[in-house]
Amino acid sequence: MARATFEPGWRWSENVRPLAGTDSCQSPHFGYVISGRMHVVMDDGTEGEVGPNDVVRIEPGHDAWVVGDESCEMVDFGTSPTYALSGS
């Protein structure tokens, strides 16, 4: 389990891709959004947005970014132990 706060302007493809070394996030996520909003785009082009009190399941193969000027705080129950490591 991990609790994370993503600041306005955060985007996986800009902030994490250089660490992971993959084109998209390959870590699955099962989480709960405490505050803020996040937009998610899957590798197949499917898009969605999550906000406060949403429960979300995000499969591997996605990009995501904070929407608006508010931080997005989430609890992730399915985060990979190799998140943001090379090849993940």
Side-chain angles (χ1 to χ4, degrees), residues 19 27-28 44 68 73 77 84:
L19 300 171
S27 181
D44 69 3
E73 188 171 5
F77 299 97

Side-chain angles (χ1 to χ4, degrees), residues 26-42:
Q26 297 303 307
S27 181
H29 304 283
F30 177 65
Y32 174 76
V33 182
I34 298 168
S35 63
R37 301 198 69 75
M38 180 136 341
H39 192 86
V40 179
V41 177
M42 302 303 295

